[in-house]
Amino acid sequence: MTHMQRAFPIAAPGRTSVRQMLRAATTALHAEVDGRFSGPFDTDSSAYEAFLTALARAVSPLERALEQGGVDRVLPDWPLRRRSDALERDLAILGIRAPAPIPVEVTRDEARLFGRLYVLEGSRLGGSLLVKRVRASADPRVRTATNYLSHGAGADLWRGFLQRLEHSDAVAAAPERTMLGAREAFRLFMTEQAHG
């Protein structure tokens, strides 16, 4: 049986999964980013515009760096997961020019790629909650600009990602590199907020 044929989830009783490891290693960063990226989107259009602008500064260059690092090696369905175009459509709906991107280092290290992807793919879970607030906005433009937050709705992209994460030999061999990649991704969003 190859590593890709193991039953999901990989973690045996008493063994920590990669997801659990990453969650524990990034709890404080995750909480800080969540705090900075939540807002009264149902009542404040400018808060939602600032949110999308902040995302665009980090998400677009992060996705480009992942592509330059060979993300399609680890996630063959990457084109279905890529959200920069959806984010650009939302900015256009709101009449916002794409902001200057944050520089993102390119890595071909599979373990680091998975760490970065953990943050990016995990943000879909929060997005599915935020979109409800956005759709309650009194501003019809805001209600329409949900391409990013609703991207992949109905598809089981998170579970598919977790299967690949848990089965990666590179992650198993270098969990510290995976944690590094996750921290790098979370810090991108914090850097953007600090300088936005």
Side-chain angles (χ1 to χ4, degrees):
M1 183 180 268
T2 68
H3 72 283
M4 291 308 292
Q5 295 172 320
R6 286 179 285 186
F8 180 76
I10 193 173
R15 181 171 177 246
T16 302
S17 70
V18 177
R19 177 187 184 185
Q20 291 167 327
M21 173 197 72
L22 288 169
R23 183 185 299 150
T26 61
T27 298
L29 291 170
H30 193 170
E32 186 169 350
V33 169
D34 278 354
R36 291 175 181 222
F37 277 85
S38 60
F41 305 143
D42 50 344
T43 59
D44 186 351
S45 299
S46 62
Y48 188 58
E49 292 171 0
F51 166 76
L52 290 179
T53 301
L55 283 175
R57 287 188 183 116
V59 170
S60 298
L62 178 55
E63 287 191 346
R64 276 194 299 277
L66 287 167
E67 289 165 354
Q68 292 168 358
V71 68
D72 54 332
R73 290 180 291 122
V74 298
L75 280 180
D77 63 348
W78 172 251
L80 299 175
R81 296 171 177 275
R82 190 176 196 286
R83 291 183 282 171
S84 292
D85 293 342
L87 189 49
E88 288 170 14
R89 285 193 301 276
D90 289 340
L91 292 174
I93 289 167
L94 296 171
I96 301 169
R97 184 183 313 188
I102 297 169
V104 179
E105 178 189 353
V106 174
T107 180
R108 295 192 63 80
D109 178 338
E110 183 175 320
R112 274 176 76 193
L113 289 174
F114 266 116
R116 291 174 175 192
L117 286 164
Y118 167 78
V119 175
L120 201 55
E121 289 298 307
S123 70
R124 289 180 193 280
L125 304 177
S128 67
L129 300 174
L130 292 177
V131 76
K132 293 174 185 172
R133 272 196 277 160
V134 174
R135 289 185 175 146
S137 172
D139 186 332
R141 293 177 320 127
V142 169
R143 288 196 308 269
T144 304
T146 59
N147 294 290
Y148 178 82
L149 290 178
S150 61
H151 187 275
D156 204 357
L157 295 173
W158 177 240
R159 184 170 178 83
F161 168 72
L162 288 179
Q163 287 175 328
R164 291 193 171 273
L165 173 71
E166 297 291 345
H167 293 101
S168 167
D169 289 336
V171 170
E176 71 286 351
R177 304 291 293 163
T178 310
M179 290 186 278
L180 171 63
R183 289 183 186 114
E184 288 171 334
F186 273 122
R187 286 186 183 120
L188 280 177
F189 293 96
M190 293 162 59
T191 300
E192 177 287 319
Q193 284 291 307
H195 301 294

